[in-house]
Amino acid sequence: MTSGRVRWFSGLRAWAAVTTAVGLSALAAGLASPGGEAVAKPPASMEFCKIYPTAHACAASPVVNCTTCHTVPPAKNLFGAQVAERLAPGVARPLSDADYIAALPAALKAVEALDADGDGISNLDEILKGSAPENGDSRPTAVSCTPGQTRSAAAGRWNTCGYDPVHAWRKVVLDVCGRSPTRTETDAFRRRLPSESSWREGISGQLDTCLRSPYWLGVNGVLWNLANAKINPQDSIKAGPRAGSIPLADYEWDYNLFAWMNTGDRDVRGLLTSQDFVKRVSDDPPTFAAVPEGDFKGMRQAGQTVPREKRAGMITTRWFSTVNTMFTPIPRTTAAVAYRQYLGLDLARMEGLHPAVAEPVDYDAKGVAAPACAVCHSTLDPLTYPFTRYDGIIRNNYNPNRLKNFVRTDGARVVEAPEAGEIFGQKVANLLEWSQVAANSDAFAQKVTWDYWKMMVGREPSPADQTEFALMWKGLKAPDKFNYRVERMLHALVLTEAYGRP
Ligand code: HEC
Ligand code: HEC
């Protein structure tokens, strides 16, 4: 690698750091109290869903947004003000986190029957149905089915009130096969309508066929597009076929692995845990296969250089480390991208905060221990440590002594940064443990389901979709339901009212 390339990337990195700092300083300023001490009360975001597990906001993520109770923290919105008024009245402030959490359930309970925004709907109703209790213009969307029409999910059937089988079937042909059904096909499907089991079979069979199509599974197909946000392809640094001007790594291997884990009888948790290296065997029909370790030869250079026993799916590929870790010793962006793209939690928006005790230490002297920064970095830094042994640009290997290379640029203490870290409040020894905790979390199942829901239904799950959305992601986790098989989940998704209602 020439020094020109190095400079080019350092420039990019410096630019990224500046934009990050500028974007976040406004937020950080909002968090600092007049005394300059930041006193954050993020635990409420996690407690909320423990208290209201069936609330709409908790279907998508176990951590609600700060704006549930605040305008800009610490300023409270109308709802937050009601909660604050009833929170441990008479007790001296500031409350410890423990006292705060202990007092929160009673304070929330005490305001359930109130109506903070005066729109005639109680706080509790709004919380459960997904409208905003602090905003008079926000009311729960009416659900179209009467209880009598609604089929009980508990009875193992999807809510098909309002479901139009022909519409759903057409949509499968369009969305998954990428073409309009012919007249003959439509007539044939219509003949199934008198029998529910027959039209269900018709939709299911159509889906199975389309799931093998190049439109779904091929290069630039639907799955490929779904992976774009996670992979972040950049042609200028692509290696391998159609290489860019500065070939560093080849993202095609990442797409192969993504498609592999999302299809067939494979466990989608492999996105974070698989140690396979996957090649495309044929484009039509699209076919993939795991490459035996001995057969890597030239492929290895472009795709995967980390030894098998140190791999963690999509988050240790050569491409992922190259574009995210680049030349950083403590690659916070890498951890934040993994958290955002695979667990649906955006730390820049203060989602998924699980502050670790006595963190951040700030081993690389970036100033992150300042209170206004620690709000996020007490979660982000321990989340990042397990990534510190994986090289970014150039070597792309696992290297237990990697941090020694950074003493000159990032200070002597950088080598003290541990490999062990923390995710969701759980201590992990390395990235392999990290990825296990991540892959088994509710957040992972919700994110996988969320991505498919958005793509198939064409919009984010709305308050009215909450029951069906929860059935999907909980089903994805359940061994006796979809058991982490995406295609099984999709068979259920196309039978939801959200999908099949014109
Ligand atoms: C369920 C409602 C709720 C949520 C969600 C919530 N807060 Fe709060 N927050 C409160 C209440 C109530 C108080 C007042 C606490 C008190 O009186 O000691 C508060 C106080 C604060 C304070 C001032 C602390 C102090 O001691 O004066 C900050 C800062 C804060 N919250 C930040 C946040 C951030 C950041 C988030 C999101 C990560 C968040 N809060 C989420 C309800 C909430
Ligand atoms: C709202 C949460 C939040 C706050 C507050 C925050 N950060 Fe960050 N910081 C992040 C996230 C998230 C990233 C990872 C970048 C990304 O989102 O991709 C990051 C990344 C960084 C990085 C690495 C940048 C890079 O490109 O490698 C540094 C250094 C950093 N933050 C310093 C600070 C400092 C110093 C402060 C206080 C002035 C601060 N941050 C406040 C969330 C925060």
Side-chain angles (χ1 to χ4, degrees):
M1 163 159 296
T2 68
S3 61
R5 281 181 207 172
V6 174
R7 240 182 287 119
W8 180 69
F9 265 96
S10 313
L12 197 65
R13 180 110 307 263
W15 172 81
V18 168
T19 50
T20 306
V22 170
L24 295 173
S25 57
L27 252 172
L31 288 169
S33 74
E37 260 294 275
V39 246
K41 289 270 187 267
S45 290
M46 290 161 239
E47 284 307 303
F48 189 85
C49 288
K50 292 185 194 149
I51 299 166
Y52 300 113
T54 63
H56 169 64
C58 303
S61 153
V63 184
V64 295
N65 289 331
C66 312
T67 50
T68 308
C69 304
H70 296 279
T71 49
V72 177
K76 282 153 208 99
N77 64 31
L78 290 173
F79 173 69
Q82 287 190 331
V83 177
E85 234 172 76
R86 286 157 187 82
L87 186 84
V91 180
R93 296 302 198 262
L95 296 173
S96 70
D97 276 2
D99 288 346
Y100 175 63
I101 287 170
L104 196 60
L108 284 167
K109 189 119 209 99
V111 304
E112 284 179 355
L114 305 183
D115 176 11
D117 53 9
D119 62 1
I121 304 155
S122 72
N123 292 339
L124 181 63
D125 266 6
E126 297 218 46
I127 289 169
L128 295 181
K129 292 180 181 152
S131 56
E134 80 286 3
N135 177 350
D137 292 332
S138 159
R139 293 143 178 272
T141 11
V143 180
S144 60
C145 298
T146 64
Q149 288 172 307
T150 304
R151 292 180 188 169
S152 155
R157 315 194 63 176
W158 312 113
N159 175 7
T160 53
C161 154
Y163 185 90
D164 177 346
V166 178
H167 177 75
W169 170 78
R170 274 187 65 87
K171 230 168 110 55
V172 168
V173 181
L174 280 165
D175 297 349
V176 189
C177 271
R179 62 176 180 84
S180 305
T182 64
R183 185 64 193 260
T184 320
E185 285 175 313
T186 309
D187 290 344
F189 183 79
R190 283 189 187 282
R191 282 195 288 278
R192 293 173 175 271
L193 288 180
S195 150
E196 178 169 340
S197 64
S198 172
W199 63 250
R200 279 170 174 261
E201 225 175 76
I203 292 175
S204 201
Q206 186 69 58
L207 179 61
D208 277 330
T209 306
C210 293
L211 285 172
R212 305 272 83 80
S213 69
Y215 180 78
W216 180 261
L217 196 49
V219 172
N220 292 325
V222 176
L223 281 189
W224 190 284
N225 280 312
L226 191 63
N228 278 346
K230 303 176 199 322
I231 294 174
N232 184 15
Q234 298 161 32
D235 286 340
S236 59
I237 56 170
K238 185 185 185 303
R242 294 175 310 283
S245 48
I246 308 168
L248 292 176
D250 187 356
Y251 53 69
E252 289 198 30
W253 302 100
D254 297 61
Y255 286 99
N256 296 347
L257 181 60
F258 186 85
W260 177 253
M261 299 318 323
N262 276 274
T263 50
D265 190 29
R266 279 175 288 269
D267 187 323
V268 68
R269 284 174 295 184
L271 288 174
L272 294 177
T273 60
S274 173
Q275 300 184 318
D276 285 345
F277 180 55
V278 177
K279 68 175 172 185
R280 218 164 47 240
V281 180
S282 129
D283 282 331
D284 197 4
T287 317
F288 301 87
V291 185
E293 290 301 304
D295 290 0
F296 272 24
K297 297 195 187 81
M299 295 179 224
R300 178 188 268 273
Q301 259 339 87
Q304 180 56 278
T305 33
V306 172
R308 186 174 180 87
E309 68 279 6
K310 294 295 182 187
R311 287 180 212 153
M314 305 281 295
I315 59 174
T316 57
T317 64
R318 180 165 193 141
W319 178 262
F320 191 78
S321 305
T322 297
V323 294
N324 294 307
T325 298
M326 298 191 192
F327 295 111
T328 35
I330 301 187
R332 298 179 178 91
T333 299
T334 308
V337 168
Y339 210 47
R340 188 183 297 133
Q341 295 299 347
Y342 292 97
L343 302 169
L345 298 167
D346 190 349
L347 279 170
R349 292 164 52 197
M350 298 205 175
E351 295 167 354
L353 291 174
H354 289 263
V357 177
E359 287 287 353
V361 175
D362 199 10
Y363 295 101
D364 57 348
K366 293 289 186 287
V368 291
C373 317
V375 175
C376 297
H377 283 269
S378 54
T379 300
L380 179 55
D381 286 30
L383 193 68
T384 304
Y385 300 148
F387 288 93
T388 54
R389 270 57 175 177
Y390 291 81
D391 286 319
I393 288 172
I394 307 175
R395 291 182 209 82
N396 293 111
N397 209 334
Y398 173 83
N399 174 4
N401 298 316
R402 173 174 176 264
L403 291 176
K404 281 190 186 154
N405 304 331
F406 296 92
V407 170
R408 219 158 41 96
T409 47
D410 296 83
R413 279 203 78 189
V414 73
V415 291
E416 292 170 30
E419 180 170 16
E422 212 171 300
I423 173 169
F424 299 143
Q426 237 170 294
K427 293 204 185 311
V428 290
N430 51 44
L431 194 57
L432 300 181
E433 288 187 18
W434 186 108
S435 64
Q436 288 294 339
V437 174
N440 288 318
S441 69
D442 285 355
F444 176 76
Q446 287 164 348
K447 174 62 171 155
V448 170
T449 309
W450 180 275
D451 285 348
Y452 278 102
W453 181 288
K454 254 187 87 172
M455 187 174 71
M456 302 284 287
V457 178
R459 55 174 164 79
E460 294 184 352
S462 75
D465 299 324
Q466 194 209 318
T467 310
E468 286 184 324
F469 181 72
L471 276 170
M472 294 302 118
W473 74 259
K474 288 184 178 162
L476 188 65
K477 291 192 78 168
D480 58 339
K481 284 248 177 110
F482 319 142
N483 195 23
Y484 286 105
R485 271 52 181 183
V486 162
E487 292 184 349
R488 280 190 221 168
M489 190 262 287
L490 293 177
H491 276 85
L493 183 60
V494 297
L495 291 176
T496 59
E497 185 185 348
Y499 188 77
R501 202 162 124 201

